[in-house]
Amino acid sequence: MLMAMIENIYETMNLRITETAFELHLRKIYPTRNILSMRETETVSGQDCLDVQKKTDGSVNIIGEVATDPVASWMIQSAQVASKFTLFTHHAKTFPDLVTALRNSMLRAGVFKDEKTAEEQVVQVLNFDIHLVKDFRGNRYIERVTECIPVEEKNEYTFDHRKEKTLEGKMNKFMDNATVFFTKTTNRELFKHRNVMEYQDGRYVLTNPITDANIQAMRNNMDTSDLEGFNDFLQRNWGIKPSNGYDDDMITVSDMPKKRGRKPKVQ
């Protein structure tokens, strides 16, 4: 599936491939694309390959398979700073298992020492999980598409103790803040996940709309024809209308004189 997805990436985007063993062979499948493939050797590490790729004007990073702890570290790095987006494969059975496996790999690789910090970094780079299954009869299909939604930490502390006249009232307000603090420290939820699409009774069913943040990012990286189709898809299935900002207006050079006085929408 990863090889087939390349066909839907704009040809203007340069592809940078990192593998522990050459398996994708994308340069043979797509000979007209700008593709640079690398693998580690006895004298050149995978980290060195990634460092070189960062300087080659790549748009999309592809990690063949995240099967070891160092490869998980490469994936996190490339997803954060080295490309518009990163594609990789993994063999986790559920989305929470995927987050846990990547978090543990980061800890074992020595990149992070704290579980929460490692999990935060993992959640920030995971947008969508396309989960494939192979049933007992040998059929392969996409079981679900899951979206990762990072939970933003909010300041829920209050200063109501200043309004209290008695020591008991002030202590009660202090205990309320202390409860919030210990809850965030010991049991803070870092992400939510929900299925955008599921395979049910032989057909695909849309179950939940994509979040606004991911819709905005997707719109900003589409050409005019794809943007029109995407907006129609959102309107038809979830009733989401195009926004009035520049992201879905796709201003061209010929449009500039007409739109000079227009201000972008502030959200």
Side-chain angles (χ1 to χ4, degrees), residues 47-64:
Q47 183 64 54
D48 292 335
C49 294
L50 185 62
D51 293 339
V52 170
Q53 288 184 1
K54 293 177 182 178
K55 304 174 183 178
T56 60
D57 194 27
S59 299
V60 180
N61 272 36
I62 299 176
I63 310 296

Side-chain angles (χ1 to χ4, degrees), residues 64-222:
E65 182 178 356
V66 179
T68 62
D69 298 336
V71 178
S73 175
W74 306 342
M75 185 275 295
I76 296 295
Q77 291 182 58
S78 62
Q80 287 179 329
V81 298
S83 60
K84 279 183 171 294
F85 62 92
T86 298
L87 301 174
F88 67 95
T89 62
H90 198 278
H91 293 290
K93 295 182 179 179
T94 65
F95 187 81
D97 289 342
L98 173 62
V99 175
T100 301
L102 293 176
R103 180 202 66 189
N104 293 343
S105 292
M106 299 292 285
L107 293 172
R108 288 193 295 265
V111 180
F112 296 101
K113 301 298 183 182
D114 181 71
E115 287 188 5
K116 291 294 183 181
T117 304
E119 188 169 325
E120 284 179 351
Q121 297 299 311
V122 170
V123 169
Q124 291 298 325
V125 302
L126 293 180
N127 295 105
F128 294 97
D129 171 35
I130 304 174
H131 187 71
L132 282 76
V133 298
K134 179 181 179 181
D135 61 22
F136 185 74
R137 294 176 294 276
N139 299 319
R140 293 180 180 269
Y141 60 93
I142 297 175
E143 183 184 46
R144 54 178 169 78
V145 176
T146 305
E147 181 181 14
C148 178
I149 308 172
V151 175
E152 297 182 1
E153 185 175 4
K154 299 180 180 179
N155 184 6
E156 300 174 347
Y157 300 109
T158 67
F159 297 91
D160 293 341
H161 63 279
R162 297 174 178 175
K163 302 177 183 179
E164 297 293 332
K165 303 300 183 181
T166 64
L167 180 60
E168 182 180 0
K170 292 181 180 293
M171 287 299 298
N172 288 337
K173 295 300 182 182
F174 173 79
M175 294 302 295
D176 290 341
N177 281 337
T179 301
V180 173
F181 170 77
F182 287 116
T183 300
K184 289 183 176 183
T185 304
T186 60
N187 196 29
R188 183 164 69 93
E189 186 179 40
L190 298 178
F191 71 95
K192 297 180 182 293
H193 66 283
R194 63 185 185 187
N195 293 339
V196 176
M197 183 180 69
E198 297 178 2
Y199 185 78
Q200 299 177 1
D201 300 326
R203 64 190 185 95
Y204 288 101
V205 179
L206 295 174
T207 52
N208 293 289
I210 304 173
T211 58
D212 294 339
N214 278 326
I215 288 177
Q216 183 86 357
M218 294 166 73
R219 282 172 168 164
N220 290 343
N221 289 279
M222 291 183 181

